[in-house]
Amino acid sequence: TSRIVLASRPQGAPSAANFRLEQVALPTLAAGEVLLRNRYLSLDPYMRGRMDEGPSYAAPVAVGAVMEGQTVAEVLQSNAEGVATGELVLAPGGWQTHAVLPAKALGRRLDPAGLPLSTALGVYGMPGFTAYSSLHEIARLKAGETLVVAAATGPVGATVAQLAKLQGARVVAIAGGEAKRAYLQTLGVDVALDHRAADFAAQLRAAVPAGIDVYFENVGGHVLDAVLPLLNDFARVPVCGTIATYNERGVGQPGPDRLPALFSQILRQRLTVRGFIVHDFNHLWPDFEREMPQWLRDGRIQYREDVVEGLENAPEAFFGLLKGHNFGKLVVKLD
Ligand code: NDP
């Protein structure tokens, strides 16, 4: 079997030298364990954080250990009660072709006759639930309000944009490049913008004549800079991700200290700026499980996937994710 381990910790942007592809024999199963064949591996921005040492909301991957990741997997062998050979499951299967896990680590069972299996890693999985739950808990949109979201062709952003439309908001969706911008228009958003345009800040200003009530923060960086002056009093800012600075450990480039101005703005405008991790809202999962499959089946929520073939191509695809080379939810199809 093949697996990819963290070979070293990156300084700045990760590179091929930080990963190592290894061939290993399968261990035998202990009591309560299952052997999985991973079919799809999810690649997600949070994995950049797991490569770094130091305090975060989750422990780092140890050097020499298999990179973490959610997988859609098939049970090849089971030494555990209640898990049958041939079942399809969501699992913390990691960057590898096979995994041995305690049965209690397995996630939900997947129905082979249901939605496409890979959606369990995207729109009908962690990223889709991120969008659904944080909109509900933090954004609290009212019809007619204006929401802005970037990384809007990805699984979080695209779901945010479409849910906000369903909730009656005016939606300005932002992505990198003309192809992504054109795709956003097919999702029915009010305005689609390319954040790489030279006059992006002016375009954004023109797109929000009534200001911004909700800024769904996925990216930070120059998009956040353009958004801040346009926020309305009492605007809500769910802070979901700041991918523009993941290679800088969230610190950013040296420059003038803008924290006092930011805090002053938060106070003057009574902004709600709230960070969250998707698990904070697990109580909403039953609602998501009831609503999302229906929305997907009736086409009210659309999604796009970027499928890369072969475990050996995971590192390169992951580097691309941090630079916007992916177009839709990035998954690796394993043979
Ligand atoms: P995406 O598939 O949207 O991929 C990330 C995208 O970020 C890229 O495709 C790129 O899109 C965009 N991007 C990268 N660098 C920049 C930059 N400098 N400026 C602007 N945009 C940039 O990923 P996801 O939908 O999986 O995740 C979106 C965000 O949500 C991430 O920040 C992620 O960390 C966060 N997240 C947070 C969770 C939580 O619990 N808090 C859970 C899940 C995700 P483009 O080409 O359009 O610029």
Side-chain angles (χ1 to χ4, degrees):
T1 76
S2 307
R3 64 184 201 182
I4 291 177
V5 301
L6 181 65
S8 58
R9 300 203 184 278
Q11 305 295 322
S15 71
N18 300 129
F19 295 112
R20 187 171 62 242
L21 181 66
E22 297 180 342
Q23 311 297 328
V24 289
L26 280 176
T28 47
L29 292 188
E33 287 185 337
V34 296
L35 169 64
L36 303 177
R37 179 170 79 83
N38 287 328
R39 286 209 193 166
Y40 292 98
L41 164 66
S42 181
L43 294 180
D44 298 87
Y46 75 80
M47 292 167 173
R48 177 63 189 81
R50 297 286 200 284
M51 299 177 79
D52 286 334
E53 222 156 16
S56 187
Y57 62 91
V61 172
V63 172
V66 177
M67 278 296 293
E68 282 172 20
Q70 283 273 310
T71 62
V72 167
E74 178 187 341
V75 177
L76 286 187
Q77 272 178 47
S78 174
N79 219 348
E81 233 168 85
V83 184
T85 301
E87 276 191 309
L88 293 166
V89 294
L90 193 64
W95 294 30
Q96 52 190 348
T97 56
H98 297 75
V100 172
L101 290 172
K104 62 175 174 4
L106 302 183
R108 67 187 211 262
R109 301 291 187 279
L110 303 175
D111 175 5
L115 293 164
L117 291 175
S118 54
T119 61
L121 302 173
V123 66
Y124 187 37
M126 185 279 283
F129 183 59
T130 296
Y132 175 93
S133 59
S134 60
L135 273 183
H136 183 274
E137 293 283 305
I138 305 176
R140 298 182 182 277
L141 269 170
K142 296 185 207 70
E145 287 190 326
T146 298
L147 172 141
V148 172
V149 61
T153 62
V156 175
T159 310
V160 165
Q162 294 174 87
L163 288 174
K165 279 312 295 176
L166 289 179
Q167 292 170 22
R170 172 180 171 81
V171 173
V172 177
I174 301 166
E178 178 51 30
K180 289 185 178 180
R181 204 192 66 79
Y183 171 73
L184 288 176
Q185 282 178 321
T186 70
L187 297 182
V189 302
D190 296 279
V191 183
L193 297 178
D194 174 5
H195 68 76
R196 297 201 203 122
D199 62 343
F200 165 69
Q203 288 186 21
L204 182 63
R205 180 179 296 276
V208 295
I212 298 171
D213 300 297
V214 173
Y215 172 52
F216 193 96
E217 173 64 303
N218 272 337
V219 299
H222 68 291
V223 176
L224 174 61
D225 289 340
V227 162
L228 284 176
L230 304 173
L231 291 173
N232 289 331
D233 287 354
F234 302 103
R236 285 83 71 201
V237 182
V239 181
C240 177
T242 58
I243 193 166
T245 52
Y246 286 179
N247 285 328
E248 302 158 9
R249 307 206 62 183
V251 176
Q253 302 296 329
D257 181 3
R258 297 191 299 167
L259 260 186
L262 179 61
F263 266 63
S264 166
Q265 180 181 4
I266 291 170
L267 183 148
R268 280 181 288 111
Q269 292 199 273
R270 289 84 103 206
L271 305 178
T272 298
V273 179
R274 181 173 166 197
F276 69 95
I277 299 298
V278 55
H279 319 292
D280 298 343
F281 304 134
N282 278 346
H283 59 281
L284 291 176
W285 182 264
D287 297 334
F288 179 72
E289 214 169 20
R290 193 180 60 251
E291 295 190 299
M292 185 54 89
Q294 195 49 50
W295 289 333
L296 290 168
R297 287 198 187 92
D298 68 21
R300 273 195 282 182
I301 299 284
Q302 296 172 48
Y303 66 96
R304 188 182 162 111
E305 295 179 338
D306 188 336
V307 183
V308 171
E309 305 254 344
L311 180 67
E312 66 282 7
N313 295 314
E316 203 54 48
F318 175 65
F319 306 147
L321 178 68
L322 299 169
K323 294 185 260 186
H325 295 175
N326 66 305
F327 191 171
K329 168 61 201 157
L330 185 59
V331 291
V332 182
K333 190 170 189 293
L334 303 171
D335 304 322

